[in-house]
């Protein structure tokens, strides 16, 4: 990912916190069938100094076959974003832009032979209260569902963070952008304004 130095975020705990807060991501591979992307909810865990991502996809989706080659995978996590009008700037000689937060994760996938632990980990992450209902589902129903998916985990080898939040603008211009976002009525822009305040 192209990241000018003033937008680069390299703080590992901050990047980890971000991807855990935005776990619905785009998983990209390149294989014999070309470039493929699948949007997936991901379980993101820190194990000592390593980040492990666990998920599953539909078995008819051919993308999982790219995992077997051992090639690098890109996962794109995207957060809040918003249009920035040049009316926020002090000089007229400016153009519109877009502020956003994105983190790219890179690693290699390993197919998992047993999908039940993956599904239960997913339940524990996104809706722990569903677990009691999950336990009551028939074995036949669960087995039929499990046969239709492929589970995997990815050990992340590196993270790249781009927090484009008007860092190359004056303090007053950044305040103007924050104010505009906060009053936009757009939930993503309001979230981005809060992130900009924390990033000062």
């Amino acid at each position: 990912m192209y990241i000018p130095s003033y937008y680069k975020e390299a703080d590992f705990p901050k990047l980890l916190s971000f991807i855990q807060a935005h776990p619905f991501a785009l998983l990209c591979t390149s294989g014999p069938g070309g470039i493929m992307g699948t949007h997936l909810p991901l379980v993101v865990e820190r194990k000592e100094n390593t980040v492990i991502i666990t998920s599953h996809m539909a078995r008819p989706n051919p993308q999982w076959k790219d995992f077997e080659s051992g090639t690098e995978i890109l996962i794109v996590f995207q957060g809040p974003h918003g249009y920035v009008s040049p009316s926020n700037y002090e000089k007229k000689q400016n153009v519109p832009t877009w502020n956003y937060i994105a983190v790219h994760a890179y690693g290699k996938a390993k197919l998992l032979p047993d999908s039940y632990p993956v599904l239960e980990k997913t339940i524990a992450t996104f809706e722990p209260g569903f677990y009691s209902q999950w336990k009551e589902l028939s074995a036949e129903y669960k087995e039929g569902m499990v046969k239709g998916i492929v589970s995997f985990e990815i050990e992340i080898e590196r993270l790249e963070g781009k927090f484009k939040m008007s860092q190359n603008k004056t303090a007053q211009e950044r305040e103007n952008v924050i104010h505009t976002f906060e009053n936009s009525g757009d939930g993503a822009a309001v979230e981005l304004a809060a992130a900009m305040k924390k990033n000062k």
Side-chain angles (χ1 to χ4, degrees):
M1 175 165 54
Y2 168 65
I3 313 176
S5 59
Y6 37 83
Y7 298 145
K8 184 175 183 178
E9 180 55 67
D11 182 78
F12 178 77
K14 192 172 183 178
L15 297 177
L16 177 61
S17 177
F18 176 83
I19 65 176
Q20 288 177 324
H22 300 85
F24 189 69
L26 175 62
L27 188 152
C28 306
T29 60
S30 180
I35 298 172
M36 293 194 67
T38 300
H39 300 265
L40 294 169
L42 307 173
V43 176
V44 181
E45 299 176 288
R46 181 174 184 174
K47 295 184 179 179
E48 297 180 354
N49 294 322
T50 304
V51 177
I52 302 293
I53 288 176
T54 311
S55 192
H56 64 276
M57 64 174 59
R59 187 171 291 276
N61 182 346
Q63 189 180 21
W64 65 265
K65 296 177 182 177
D66 291 341
F67 299 165
E68 298 174 313
S69 67
T71 56
E72 189 173 58
I73 292 168
L74 165 65
I75 306 172
V76 179
F77 296 86
Q78 185 167 312
H81 57 89
Y83 171 80
V84 181
S85 168
S87 63
N88 291 290
Y89 302 146
E90 297 171 300
K91 296 179 181 178
K92 287 188 176 181
Q93 191 162 299
N94 270 294
V95 294
T97 189
W98 210 276
N99 277 5
Y100 60 91
I101 301 175
V103 174
H104 287 190
Y106 302 85
K108 296 177 182 177
K110 177 176 70 175
L111 295 175
L112 301 175
D114 187 358
S115 288
Y116 283 99
V118 174
L119 295 177
E120 294 188 354
K121 184 180 292 187
T122 303
I123 292 169
T125 301
F126 297 110
E127 191 183 2
F130 175 69
Y131 187 68
S132 59
Q133 182 177 336
W134 164 258
K135 289 194 297 183
E136 294 175 358
L137 299 177
S138 71
E140 182 181 11
Y141 176 83
K142 289 180 182 178
E143 188 62 28
M145 183 179 62
V146 166
K147 286 180 179 178
I149 64 174
V150 175
S151 296
F152 60 90
E153 72 175 21
I154 301 170
E155 182 174 333
I156 299 305
E157 297 170 352
R158 70 183 192 279
L159 292 171
E160 293 180 341
K162 186 172 185 178
F163 286 43
K164 184 176 182 294
M165 298 188 287
S166 302
Q167 294 96 322
N168 59 332
K169 300 300 180 182
T170 68
Q172 183 58 57
E173 289 171 336
R174 289 195 296 274
E175 288 298 328
N176 293 344
V177 173
I178 290 171
H179 178 77
T180 299
F181 283 164
E182 287 179 327
N183 293 278
S184 66
D186 181 332
V190 172
E191 184 182 349
L192 187 55
M196 289 180 68
K197 284 183 174 180
K198 288 182 181 179
N199 205 59
K200 286 183 180 180

